[in-house]
């Protein structure tokens, strides 16, 4: 898209986008959707520049591997033009909302991948943007493509997920509806039919769903999955489910240095504290990616970033320079295990300053030797975490939270453990609680 689309070209939505800046307590929010979570260093510099010139200098990594600028002032048009000039926009205004396709941050470079998902992802994204019919999808309707990588977010629910499995001497794509790759698959197709499957699922959803049924789970609430699959089988060739399963015997972390499938190359994962960067941090990471890597950065659904294709010998120096910029590089740092929404400092719905409280809790938890992830949410919407964390703090008033432990047998955040706790009381309770139940 060479020229900025006028706001009248956009459909109403509560979700921010690059072309739709949504007002919050701390100013406007501009969300930049990245293809496969990847951004060039030149584009990253453009984001940093726009955040400094036209906003409050706050840049956030999101849990869908995108970036957003907070605190946007009155110069919406100038900020949008800056980002479009960097090639960060959609082909058309209506195509911006539907670019919701999540890959592993290590697509194409992971040592354990079964296929490089990027070519298929490019096909899917091109169809989502260019097919006007799909512009009717909700801005929250999301697809995940899992290539079997060791570094993969497998807990985020998606309207449609696809995962590569091996069985009976061949590879296939299994898929599921309104779930995640940890769920039993609903069906399977040949790898060559992956794009056709996505198109068929989306077309069928749009034909069957009422206007108020914006997500796959809404449709399946009254239209059975079996009926959906029967209708789907008339549009794309479904194959029998094979015995192959997603291999969970290996995993990587988005923090630290890990070898790639390319000889002598590694990727380095760095965490901006609580998912927030300032322009200097993003600029610095971009310059390091140019100096040591392939001039690209990859965002992750853990609200962090990766620098790929680094020479193994350069990783220690690169890691130190990232730390000097303010990034966290070790999972032993308690703050890397804290997830917090904007909270009352930037959101009118937030009942507590979750970012500040998360830092306080991290200071209490430092040195405990327990990598427990804790999610602090200012309200029940859970904007900062798309999955259920082992421990969730739900704000009830400034500095006070209800504590939940994840429990697969209970909906929502899990099992309520205690109400109206101070941060100090939360820290004491977490210290006293056995570790194992939190992994349920």
């Amino acid at each position: 898209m060479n020229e900025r689309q006028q706001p009248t070209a956009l459909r109403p939505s509560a979700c921010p986008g690059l072309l739709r800046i949504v007002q919050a307590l701390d100013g406007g929010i501009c969300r930049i959707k990245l293809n496969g979570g990847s951004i060039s260093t030149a584009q990253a510099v453009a984001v940093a520049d726009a955040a400094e010139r036209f906003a409050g200098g706050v840049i956030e990594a999101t849990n869908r591997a995108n970036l957003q600028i907070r605190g946007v002032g009155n110069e919406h048009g100038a900020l949008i033009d800056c980002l479009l000039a960097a090639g960060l926009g959609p082909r058309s205004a209506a195509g911006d909302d539907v670019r919701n396709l999540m890959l592993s941050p290590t697509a194409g470079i992971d040592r354990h991948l079964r296929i490089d998902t990027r070519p298929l992802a490019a096909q899917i994204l091109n169809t989502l943007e260019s097919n006007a019919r799909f512009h009717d999808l909700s801005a929250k309707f999301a697809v995940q493509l899992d290539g079997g990588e060791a570094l993969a977010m497998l807990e985020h629910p998606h309207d449609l997920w696809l995962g590569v499995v091996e069985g009976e001497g061949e590879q296939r794509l299994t898929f599921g509806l309104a779930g995640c790759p940890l769920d039993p698959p609903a069906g399977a197709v040949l790898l060559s039919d992956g794009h056709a499957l996505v198109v068929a699922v989306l077309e069928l959803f749009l034909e069957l769903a009422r206007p108020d049924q914006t997500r796959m789970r809404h449709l399946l609430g009254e239209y059975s999955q079996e009926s959906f699959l029967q209708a789907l089988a008339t549009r794309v060739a479904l194959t029998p489910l094979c015995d192959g399963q997603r291999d969970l015997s290996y995993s990587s972390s988005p923090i630290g240095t890990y070898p790639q499938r390319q000889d002598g190359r590694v990727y380095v994962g760095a965490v901006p504290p609580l998912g927030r960067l300032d322009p200097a941090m993003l600029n610095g990471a971009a310059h390091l990616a140019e100096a040591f890597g392939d001039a690209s950065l990859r965002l992750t659904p853990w609200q962090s970033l990766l620098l790929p294709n680094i020479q193994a010998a350069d990783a220690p120096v690169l890691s130190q320079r990232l730390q000097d910029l303010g990034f966290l590089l070790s999972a032993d740092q308690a703050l890397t295990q804290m997830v917090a929404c904007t909270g009352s400092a930037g959101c009118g719905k937030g009942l507590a300053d979750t970012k500040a409280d998360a830092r306080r809790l991290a200071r209490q938890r430092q040195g405990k030797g327990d990598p427990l992830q804790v999610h602090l949410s200012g309200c029940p919407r859970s904007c900062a975490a798309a999955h259920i964390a082992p421990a969730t703090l739900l704000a009830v008033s400034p500095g006070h939270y209800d504590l939940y432990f994840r429990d697969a047998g209970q909906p929502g955040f899990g099992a309520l453990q205690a109400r109206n706790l101070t941060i100090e009381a939360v820290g004491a309770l977490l210290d006293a609680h056995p570790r194992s139940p939190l992994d349920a």
Side-chain angles (χ1 to χ4, degrees):
M1 188 175 65
N2 296 322
E3 297 182 2
R4 175 165 55 90
Q5 298 288 332
Q6 297 300 314
T8 53
L10 302 175
R11 62 180 177 175
S13 172
C15 291
L18 189 151
L19 305 173
R20 182 195 301 106
I21 296 176
V22 174
Q23 196 67 23
L25 193 63
D26 58 349
I29 303 173
C30 176
R31 183 170 297 156
I32 306 157
K33 295 186 177 181
L34 307 177
N35 292 347
S38 184
I39 186 171
S40 73
T41 53
Q43 290 173 328
V45 169
V47 172
D49 180 60
E52 193 164 39
R53 292 172 59 195
F54 307 115
V58 174
I59 305 161
E60 292 181 327
T62 78
N63 60 33
R64 295 290 181 185
N66 294 313
L67 285 172
Q68 63 187 27
I69 298 172
R70 296 194 70 95
V72 178
N74 295 326
E75 296 184 82
H76 290 193
L79 178 140
I80 291 170
D81 287 340
C82 177
L83 298 175
L84 291 179
L88 288 164
R91 292 182 176 85
S92 66
D96 192 33
D97 279 340
V98 296
R99 295 189 293 161
N100 301 323
L101 174 62
M102 193 166 83
L103 307 181
S104 162
T106 51
I109 63 173
D110 197 290
R111 295 177 73 192
H112 296 278
L113 64 81
R114 286 172 168 166
I115 66 165
D116 184 346
T117 56
R118 292 174 296 177
L120 176 55
Q123 270 189 293
I124 295 170
L125 283 168
N126 179 64
T127 298
L128 287 170
E129 286 196 57
S130 60
N131 189 324
R133 180 73 175 103
F134 296 146
H135 298 170
D136 291 334
L137 290 167
S138 162
K140 295 182 181 296
F141 196 100
V143 180
Q144 180 175 10
L145 177 56
D146 170 39
E149 298 88 353
L151 181 61
M153 171 55 81
L154 301 177
E155 294 184 283
H156 281 190
H158 284 74
D159 296 277
L160 168 65
W161 63 262
L162 303 93
V164 181
V165 298
E166 295 181 0
E168 301 174 0
E170 66 177 352
Q171 292 181 325
R172 297 181 188 177
L173 274 175
T174 57
F175 66 91
L177 307 172
C180 64
L182 294 179
D183 298 331
V189 297
L190 298 176
L191 274 178
S192 56
D193 286 332
H195 178 258
L197 170 69
V198 174
V199 170
V201 169
L202 300 187
E203 288 180 341
L204 185 57
F205 171 81
L206 289 168
E207 291 173 17
L208 295 174
R210 299 191 310 267
D212 62 308
Q213 294 173 325
T214 58
R215 306 295 300 276
M216 185 66 76
R217 67 178 185 271
H218 301 152
L219 175 64
L220 296 183
E222 63 179 50
Y223 192 92
S224 74
Q225 177 172 282
E226 181 181 358
S227 297
F228 190 95
L229 292 174
Q230 288 175 351
L232 184 64
T234 67
R235 302 172 184 234
V236 64
L238 303 185
T239 68
L241 287 169
C242 57
D243 293 332
Q245 295 181 335
R246 215 299 183 179
D247 192 343
L248 300 175
S249 63
Y250 49 78
S251 63
S252 295
S253 166
I255 310 169
T257 300
Y258 290 87
Q260 296 182 186
R261 66 197 307 256
Q262 294 82 8
D263 289 343
R265 301 282 176 169
V266 299
Y267 67 83
V268 177
V271 178
L274 300 175
R276 283 201 165 176
L277 308 91
D278 58 34
M281 290 176 71
L282 186 54
N283 262 320
H287 292 315
L288 289 173
E290 283 190 349
F292 291 95
D294 63 359
S296 76
L297 299 169
R298 299 188 183 193
L299 277 295
T300 86
W302 295 272
Q303 296 175 279
S304 61
L305 57 83
L306 305 184
L307 281 71
N309 293 308
I310 307 298
Q311 293 281 358
D314 292 333
V317 172
L318 172 62
S319 298
Q320 183 58 57
R321 293 192 184 180
L322 286 167
Q323 290 184 70
D324 293 342
L325 288 169
F327 289 95
L328 307 175
L329 271 293
S330 172
D332 292 336
Q333 295 168 281
L335 196 55
T336 66
Q337 305 303 321
M338 300 292 155
V339 179
C341 66
T342 300
S344 58
C347 176
K349 297 183 182 296
L351 298 179
D353 189 347
T354 52
K355 296 285 191 190
D357 289 340
R359 290 181 179 275
R360 288 171 55 201
L361 182 59
R363 288 193 290 270
Q364 287 183 247
R365 302 286 295 158
Q366 188 60 45
K368 301 295 184 181
D370 182 359
L372 173 68
Q373 186 185 79
V374 182
H375 167 212
L376 292 84
S377 188
C379 78
R381 294 186 303 165
S382 187
C383 294
H387 68 292
I388 303 303
T392 297
L393 298 178
L394 178 61
V396 294
S397 65
H400 291 74
Y401 296 82
D402 291 344
L403 172 63
Y404 296 80
F405 288 155
R406 182 167 61 191
D407 186 333
Q410 298 197 36
F413 296 124
L416 177 64
Q417 297 297 304
R419 292 189 180 275
N420 201 30
L421 298 175
T422 64
I423 289 298
E424 290 71 24
V426 169
L429 196 153
L430 293 178
D431 288 347
H433 199 282
R435 178 71 179 91
S436 57
L438 302 182
D439 289 324

